[in-house]
Structures are given as C-alpha cells and as structure tokens.
Amino acid sequence: MDEREILEKLNPEQQDAVRTTEGPVLILAGAGSGKTRVLVHRISYLINVCGVWPGNILAITFTNKAADEMRSRVDDLIGFGSDRIWVMTFHAACVRILRRHAEELGYTRYFTIYDTDDSLSVMKDIFRLKKIDTKRIKERQVLSMISSAKNELISPENYASAAGKDFFSRQVESLYAEYQSRLKANNAMDFDDLIGNTVKLFKEHPEVLAIYEEKFRYLMVDEYQDTNTAQFKFVSLLADKYRNLCVVGDDDQSIYKFRGANIRNILNFEQIFPESKVVRLEQNYRSTGNILNAANNVIRNNRGRKAKKLWTENETGAKVRFRRFPNSFDEAEFVADEIRSIVREGGSEYRDFAVLYRTNAQSRLFEEKFLLMNVPYKLVGGVNFYARKEIKDLLAYLKTTANAVDDVASTRIVNIPKRGIGQTTITKILSYAADGGLSFYEAAKDADRIGSLSAATVKKIRSFTDLIEELKEDAKELSVSALLRKIVEATDYENMLREQDDEDVVADRLGNIEELVNKAIQYETENENPSLSGFLEEVALIADIDSVEDGDDRVLLMTLHSAKGLEFPNVYLTGMEEGVFPGMMSLNAESPLEEIEEERRLCYVGITRAKKRLTMTAAGERMVRGNVERHPVSRFVREIPRDMLDNGLPESGSGVRLKAPSAAIPGFREAVAAPPPKYDNPYIRREKKEPSKSAPKPFAGLDYKVGDRVRHVKYGTGVVTEIREGKRDYEVTVDFQGWGSKRLLAAFANLVREE
C-alpha cells in the first residue's frame, strides 16, 4: 500500500496526524472524528511509507474490546507482519514485560495475578490478624484507598505523608505495607501492581528500560485523557529516548476521575513535551449540525479544557428537543410511549433508540414503563432492576413476611446477612420439612426438634425466625415503605453491603434500595387500600412480564458512563435537573468547580452519542430517598441557546415551553424552575366524585383541612373532601381535577395547601 492509498480517504487534519511520525504528537480527537481510523492508518504509514519495522511499534488502549477492534483493523489494513506489532491494553503490555524481568524485583516469572476477590481475601486475613474493627473501617474501603495510592505511584512507606499524618492514614499505611508484604510472599501482584511494578522496574533497572526504549521506537496511546499517573509514567519512560510518542484523546470526554484518571496528563502534554505538535480533529462524522452546536455550547463553559469546536458536513438536522414534565413518572411514560409510537409508524427500529441517565437507580421507572407498554429493551452495564441482588433480597424478606410458605424466598434470606447457617444446615431443614409436609420456614421454627442440628446452630436459626415473626407483627401496623426500612435496619443491610463492595458500588446499591422504597411509596399513594400482598403482586406483575423479543432489536437503557464510545440515531438524555445531573454530590463537593466540570464533560459525551435526534427531558418533581424533591432545570440545558432548542409542546400536550435560552436572560431561571403543567396521562382511568359537604375540621399535624385546595406531586391540584384518623396516620380524600377522588395517607401524600 502506497502513500496515496493510505491517505486518500482521510480529511486534511487526519492526513496531517498520519504524516506526523517523528517527535511527540497530541491528536485532539473530538467525538465522532474517526480517531481509531487515524491510528490504524498511522501504523500503516509508519510501516509502508517510513519503513518502520512492525516490531518497533507499540499501540496501547484501555479495554480488551478496544484492543481487539484495533488489532482486527490493523491486521486487515497491513496484513503480513502485523502480528509483530504490540496492540494491547496497558495491563497486557506490562504483564508481557514483567514475565521476562520479574526476577529483578524479587518475583519469579510465574507470579500470580490477584483479582478483586483474591485481594479481598488477603485483606480480610490481615484485618483478623490485626483485630481491626470492621464497623469503623472496611476491607474494601482500605483496598480502594490502596488502589488510589498505587495509581499515583505512592508506596506504603510514603502513604501517610502523602495522605496526612492522622491516625487513620497511619493505620491505612500499616495495612498497605502488610498487604504488599503478603503479596510479595505469595509471589503475587494485583492489577495495579502490574503497571506500578513495571514503572519500578524501569526506574531501578535502566538496562531493562533500554531494551524496551530500543524496541518501541514508536508509541501510540488511545484514550489518553483516561490515563492515571502510573500509566503516564510508564509511557513517558518508554518514550524518553526517541520521543516518538503519539497520544490520541479528547479532554472534553475525560469522565473517569472516580477511577483515577488524571485529566492533567492531556491538558499539560505540551508543557511536558515542549517540542510536541498538536493536531485537532474537529470534523465530526456522526451527528447533525444542531446536535454538535448544542454540544459545543455546553462544553465551552468548562475552564479546564483545550479549545476546539466540532463541526460537520452533515445536514443541520432537527433542533435539540427539551421536554419538562410534572414528575419522573410522566417523564418515563413519555419516553416509552413516544419510542413505541415512532417505531409503529415505521421507518425506525427499537435498536435505533437509547435512553441515557446519570445513575443506575434511574432505570427503574423506564424499565417499568417499557415493560407495561411492551417495548423491548436491554439494560446495559447492569441487570434488570428487580433482578438486582439487593432488590431480590429485600423482596424475599417481604415475601417471607407476607407468605412464609414461599421456600424460594425464605431459603434465599436465611443466611442474609450471614448468620453462620450453611448449605448443610439448609439441606437438613428442607429434609425435615419434606418428611413433615411443612414449608422451609415452618421447619426452621421447629429447629430444636431436628436432632441432627446442634444447639449452636438452632440458636442461629432462631435469630432468623424471631426476626421474621417480629416483621409479621410490624406488617400489621407499618406501611410497606416503612416495613422495608425496618428490614434494612434490622438486618444491618447497609453495613453488610459496605463489607462486600467498594464505596461507589455500595452507593449504587443503596440508591437502588431507596428506589425500591420510592416504588413502595408510589404504590401506597396510588392505591386506596395499600397492602403488603398488593405491593408484592404489583411488583411481580412488573418484574415477571416477558416482553423482550429475541434478537437485538431493543431500546438500550444505560448510564452516561456506559454510553461512551457508542452512537445511536435517537437519544433521550433524561433527568436533566440540578441535583440529579449535575448530581448533588458534585454541587456539595469541596471543589465543586472541578466536579461540575467533570459532570459537564459527561453531559457532552451524552449529547454527542446522538446522530440524528436528541431529546433532553427533566421532571419538575422527583422522588429521592422517599421524599418528593423539586429541582430546577439543569444548568447544562440552560447553556444551550434558544435557537438551537425545539422547546415547544409535544404532540401529547406534555412538557413545558421554555421562555428563554440561558440563565443570563431575564425570566429564564424562573421559567424553567416553575412547576410544570399537569401531564394528561392517557393510561390512568379517571373517576369523578362529588365533593363532600363535610364541615371543615382541623387535624393535629396537618396544615390543611376539609375544603382546602391542596397540591399533589402526581395528581396536581384538588380539594380536600374528607379526613379520617387512622391507626398510625390520617387518611385524606381529595377530589383532583381530571383525576377524580383519591384516598391518600397523609404521611406519604405530601400534600401542600394552596393559598
């Protein structure tokens, strides 16, 4: 392949990036600008035009999937000799080097690579040895801190001075040192060690570094914005002699700070390599003009970025749509209904649509609506909401409380949290139950009659059955949502999660639990006579609907982090509210500017996933941790100028017409922060009822009485027609305009009196 063939299908900037083979090169590759194509053609140019030996090229990326794709394209384009090129992940490259030189660091070449479970097992042994109180500090928490330290090349000896010389830091330093000692004694490395030890090898043994400096005269690094300090050091050491380092990335898509990514690596590239050349790939081949203009106007508000502006020769396309709904239920219903309608009209398939959101917990409402409307979907980067372990655990507790003869539910939770009841004990109880025609739970209550069980085991089983009996009594008085919270508290479920997972995973799971509580509150609010059995029946109907068709024609539901690198004709970017996106943690962070800029980059990634049509949605009110919260429209929406937004009312009559394009224009903030009009939900049957003539009567703890006008999160405005005093709460009957009469529990209805 000659130079003309290599360059003929590339644009001028791409050609410049391919031709620049000597010295440091920073290729700023905007979203959809064809960066992988440039990397592959650059490798071909080095070999076919510059005469570089394939074995002198190292191309590094982050994931095995990305490495496999690049390897495939390199093989197709180059053919003979391509197998000599190292195309692999950071970890794979370091393993290959360490297998040859591990002896220099005191390991054998046959060292073991520990995964997360292996590391956790080691740390648990250390905790037991040192008698560490796991109520104050968790094994996974320490491992996460050690991983962060390794990403920054901080050794155990330097940990306390780097993190602070307080007691906690000194304790982590001690645990870190013991952990590393155990790994070394076991001839083992964890994943972070693979990179850190390679850097250490290069620093302490320059003769080894010299081998690989000569071998890899040309280095290319993809997704450079995602590198951490250790990865940067690995690359910079290899490139120090010949300086032929080509990095490709986009600082505007740096969204993995929580994994240790250091955006300064790409922002400071020109300071680290003063002789470097910068090539900007700004032509986008993916999206329409309006989508790119919206993305540009959002991301330009970040201060910590390199100037660039995406453009395209594609059509201008439809304006970006923004729709705001009274609440998150209507938001999800609108998205599901519109996708179904568009597909039924023809011209589009379900696979053409993606629904993106900030956190996993937000998927629940979309899953429910898609199931009810028979819209096939696939949850990316997670499992079905009701199939998640924490949700199944809590539902099993509810099922056992409501119906103790459910053996599947009771056997699932008999040892959750751990009570020392193993499978052998469970088998003995099941055998006793089968002989006596009993359920598992009934047999467990008779544990003292099972002769093969020891007194200590019977005591453990009794702790379980006593808890269930207590929950049965509580269920007579408590609401479903209150009972769920009681289960979480009584089982110490949160601490159990913290012992099992990293903090970010725990936060995600706790968010899912709160979303289940939200579901229970929604059920209680919408039903006149809510009950535990009724709630379980409703959940079962939703969770068990099998509407996903065979094949890949499904709507994809995923978090924004999971969507990076993907593209879709139609994208719904949901939950566009302050406190949701950007999230409350970012708004309340010690350095909110940095955190919000990371959130804005995440929004930029979401916007640039769309090829033809982008719809951004928000809810006026959203249930968070069991409480209805009102949030103004996200600043990221307000950063898009009015002439780029289609902010009219959708055909269904839902949504809000925006009054101004940005917070800088008078009245805009008030327009988007005001409660939206009620969404006329066509799927809810309405009943009319004449208002009661009851005389107004005050009730303690309520700021409204019969005859007052009140507002509800879902039903809008209505008149209170009756208030009854129940066992634990007031039952309030309200006649809502367009919805008919609803009987609600005051504690969960959150009615607000209107003047």
Side-chain angles (χ1 to χ4, degrees):
M1 181 178 286
D2 59 24
E3 181 175 6
R4 182 187 59 79
E5 291 177 297
I6 294 172
L7 300 176
E8 64 180 350
K9 294 184 179 180
L10 303 179
N11 67 39
E13 291 74 25
Q14 291 174 332
Q15 291 178 5
D16 190 18
V18 168
R19 282 198 188 103
T20 307
T21 59
E22 306 302 309
V25 185
L26 169 59
I27 302 175
L28 288 174
S33 61
K35 66 180 179 63
T36 304
R37 181 181 182 82
V38 168
L39 278 174
V40 173
H41 281 71
R42 192 173 189 273
I43 293 173
S44 177
Y45 191 89
L46 283 168
I47 295 171
N48 292 299
V49 178
C50 301
V52 174
W53 173 242
N56 291 145
I57 299 172
L58 170 62
I60 294 181
T61 188
F62 273 81
T63 66
N64 288 319
K65 180 180 179 182
D68 290 343
E69 180 185 353
M70 189 182 297
R71 163 58 68 189
S72 175
R73 292 171 70 168
V74 166
D75 290 346
D76 290 343
L77 187 64
I78 297 171
F80 179 76
S82 66
D83 58 324
R84 299 279 185 172
I85 306 168
W86 281 30
V87 181
M88 57 188 64
T89 65
F90 275 100
H91 290 102
C94 289
V95 167
R96 187 174 291 190
I97 292 170
L98 288 170
R99 289 295 183 201
R100 291 185 60 187
H101 305 282
E103 291 87 350
E104 305 290 351
L105 299 176
Y107 296 83
T108 76
R109 62 180 301 182
Y110 304 106
F111 62 85
T112 301
I113 301 173
Y114 276 4
D115 62 16
T116 303
D117 289 339
D118 296 328
S119 295
L120 182 61
S121 178
V122 171
M123 189 56 71
K124 284 184 174 180
D125 284 341
I126 296 172
F127 266 50
R128 283 192 289 268
L129 176 68
K130 292 181 174 289
K131 296 183 170 60
I132 303 294
D133 183 2
T134 55
K135 292 182 179 179
R136 299 186 62 184
I137 182 173
K138 307 297 182 186
E139 295 95 338
R140 289 183 183 273
Q141 180 184 2
V142 173
L143 286 171
S144 178
M145 297 171 76
I146 290 173
S147 177
S148 297
K150 289 183 177 183
N151 287 339
E152 294 298 318
L153 296 176
I154 299 172
S155 66
E157 297 76 23
N158 298 325
Y159 183 84
S161 58
K165 297 183 179 179
D166 56 281
F167 171 77
F168 181 73
S169 296
R170 290 197 300 272
Q171 186 177 37
V172 173
E173 181 181 73
S174 173
L175 295 169
Y176 184 4
E178 180 65 23
Y179 172 74
Q180 286 303 110
S181 177
R182 295 280 187 102
L183 262 62
K184 188 72 173 289
N186 294 342
N187 192 37
M189 302 183 197
D190 63 21
F191 281 101
D192 296 317
D193 286 331
L194 297 177
I195 298 173
N197 279 341
T198 306
V199 171
K200 183 179 180 181
L201 175 70
F202 287 166
K203 284 183 173 181
E204 295 181 357
H205 299 275
E207 72 282 2
V208 175
L209 173 60
I211 295 172
Y212 292 95
E213 283 180 316
E214 288 298 326
K215 177 173 178 54
F216 300 125
R217 297 191 179 194
Y218 294 88
L219 281 76
M220 281 170 274
V221 183
D222 193 13
E223 302 288 3
Y224 189 67
Q225 76 280 350
D226 294 333
T227 55
N228 59 36
T229 300
Q231 290 162 339
F232 160 76
K233 193 64 178 177
F234 168 74
V235 169
S236 60
L237 284 169
L238 279 177
D240 189 54
K241 182 175 182 179
Y242 290 101
R243 314 288 283 181
N244 296 326
L245 172 63
C246 173
V247 301
V248 183
D250 182 5
D251 53 298
D252 289 335
Q253 297 187 72
S254 178
I255 59 174
Y256 294 119
K257 181 181 178 182
F258 67 96
R259 293 181 185 171
N262 186 353
I263 193 174
R264 295 295 160 192
N265 290 343
I266 191 168
L267 292 180
N268 296 339
F269 187 84
E270 294 153 276
Q271 285 73 49
I272 299 166
F273 299 95
E275 74 276 31
S276 62
K277 176 176 180 177
V278 178
V279 180
R280 286 175 167 80
L281 304 183
E282 298 173 304
Q283 183 175 358
N284 177 282
Y285 293 92
R286 176 188 300 156
S287 306
T288 63
N290 276 325
I291 291 172
L292 291 185
N293 287 335
N296 287 330
N297 276 277
V298 170
I299 200 62
R300 72 178 184 181
N301 291 279
N302 273 5
R303 299 178 187 176
R305 67 183 294 262
K306 291 183 175 292
K308 70 185 81 68
K309 186 176 182 180
L310 295 181
W311 63 277
T312 185
E313 292 180 349
N314 296 340
E315 61 182 354
T316 302
K319 290 184 176 182
V320 173
R321 298 193 308 161
F322 175 65
R323 300 291 182 265
R324 189 173 183 234
F325 303 91
N327 53 62
S328 54
F329 307 105
D330 293 341
E331 176 191 39
E333 186 164 43
F334 166 79
V335 171
D337 183 43
E338 182 170 88
I339 292 174
R340 181 179 64 172
S341 298
I342 292 172
V343 172
R344 286 182 174 179
E345 289 172 3
S348 294
E349 298 178 273
Y350 287 116
R351 63 167 60 93
D352 296 332
F353 296 84
V355 179
L356 310 181
Y357 35 78
R358 180 64 183 84
T359 63
N360 276 313
Q362 290 172 254
S363 73
R364 196 265 298 178
L365 289 175
F366 293 104
E367 289 185 69
E368 289 189 3
K369 296 300 182 184
F370 279 36
L371 286 167
L372 290 172
M373 294 186 190
N374 202 33
V375 175
Y377 74 90
K378 179 180 180 181
L379 194 66
V380 177
V383 295
N384 177 289
F385 181 82
Y386 291 103
R388 291 166 180 159
K389 181 183 183 302
E390 59 273 17
I391 302 303
K392 291 176 74 70
D393 287 347
L394 295 181
L395 288 177
Y397 265 103
L398 290 181
K399 290 175 182 178
T400 303
T401 301
N403 175 26
V405 299
D406 185 341
D407 284 358
V408 173
S410 53
T411 53
R412 178 185 181 88
I413 58 172
V414 68
N415 201 41
I416 296 178
K418 293 186 183 301
R419 300 181 174 92
I421 302 173
Q423 188 56 49
T424 301
T425 299
I426 293 173
T427 301
K428 290 178 180 179
I429 297 173
L430 287 170
S431 178
Y432 178 85
D435 291 341
L438 304 173
S439 68
F440 174 86
Y441 180 75
E442 290 170 330
K445 288 178 67 178
D446 283 349
D448 54 350
R449 298 183 181 181
I450 304 176
S452 58
L453 298 179
S454 67
T457 301
V458 170
K459 185 177 180 180
K460 295 171 183 176
I461 297 170
R462 187 70 64 205
S463 69
F464 168 66
T465 57
D466 286 349
L467 173 59
I468 297 300
E469 291 303 307
E470 181 182 343
L471 293 174
K472 285 177 178 290
E473 289 301 313
D474 289 334
K476 297 175 182 177
E477 298 290 334
L478 296 180
S479 63
V480 179
S481 56
L483 185 63
L484 270 171
R485 289 196 167 114
K486 171 69 182 291
I487 292 169
V488 173
E489 179 182 352
T491 58
D492 203 16
Y493 200 88
E494 180 174 341
N495 276 332
M496 183 191 78
L497 290 180
R498 294 191 186 283
E499 291 175 359
Q500 295 177 348
D501 289 303
D502 297 329
E503 283 300 313
D504 54 340
V505 177
V506 171
D508 202 31
R509 290 189 166 185
L510 291 177
N512 292 334
I513 291 172
E514 288 298 341
E515 190 59 27
L516 181 63
V517 175
N518 291 345
K519 169 62 181 177
I521 294 173
Q522 176 194 352
Y523 164 77
E524 292 157 0
T525 303
E526 294 180 349
N527 289 271
E528 293 185 0
N529 298 299
S531 65
L532 176 55
S533 59
F535 173 74
L536 290 171
E537 180 181 333
E538 180 169 310
V539 167
L541 288 173
I542 294 171
D544 290 343
I545 294 175
D546 184 14
S547 65
V548 179
E549 303 163 3
D550 292 333
D552 296 321
D553 189 21
R554 312 177 189 183
V555 180
L556 293 187
L557 306 182
M558 69 184 80
T559 64
L560 285 151
H561 282 100
S562 298
K564 187 170 181 290
L566 304 177
E567 59 183 44
F568 310 91
N570 305 283
V571 168
Y572 290 85
L573 192 48
T574 64
M576 300 301 296
E577 305 134 40
E578 292 285 301
V580 177
F581 189 32
M584 198 60 70
M585 288 181 65
S586 300
L587 299 176
N588 295 331
E590 290 184 9
S591 303
L593 179 62
E594 289 184 13
E595 298 299 326
I596 290 171
E597 290 206 347
E598 176 113 347
E599 293 280 285
R600 185 176 284 109
R601 292 193 291 270
L602 193 56
C603 181
Y604 174 83
V605 167
I607 292 173
T608 54
R609 298 312 94 193
K611 297 169 68 176
K612 299 292 185 183
R613 191 163 171 261
L614 172 66
T615 302
M616 306 173 86
T617 65
E621 296 174 326
R622 186 179 297 274
M623 192 174 289
V624 180
R625 293 178 293 277
N627 298 312
V628 175
E629 295 184 1
R630 299 187 179 191
H631 300 285
V633 170
S634 170
R635 67 190 67 198
F636 305 145
V637 176
R638 301 199 299 267
E639 290 166 356
I640 302 175
R642 175 175 54 188
D643 60 356
M644 297 178 191
L645 284 173
D646 164 19
N647 48 30
L649 296 174
E651 293 76 5
S652 62
S654 60
V656 164
R657 186 182 298 276
L658 296 181
K659 303 299 182 185
S662 72
I665 297 181
F668 178 83
R669 208 176 275 278
E670 291 74 19
V672 295
K678 184 177 75 63
Y679 174 39
D680 185 21
N681 188 334
Y683 302 101
I684 304 296
R685 185 170 56 86
R686 295 156 176 74
E687 298 178 356
K688 293 289 186 180
K689 182 177 179 180
E690 291 298 319
S692 169
K693 303 299 182 181
S694 304
K697 173 185 176 181
F699 284 82
L702 301 182
D703 62 353
Y704 50 83
K705 59 185 182 299
V706 174
D708 284 348
R709 292 182 62 80
V710 293
R711 181 173 180 79
H712 183 267
V713 60
K714 182 173 181 65
Y715 303 119
T717 301
V719 176
V720 178
T721 60
E722 184 180 12
I723 301 177
R724 288 184 180 179
E725 189 169 357
K727 290 182 179 180
R728 301 178 65 89
D729 195 5
Y730 295 115
E731 293 182 357
V732 183
T733 303
V734 184
D735 187 39
F736 292 102
Q737 182 179 0
W739 295 84
S741 183
K742 299 290 181 183
R743 186 180 300 169
L744 312 169
L745 293 176
F748 300 110
N750 290 317
L751 297 172
V752 179
R753 183 166 64 90
E754 295 196 335
E755 301 296 336

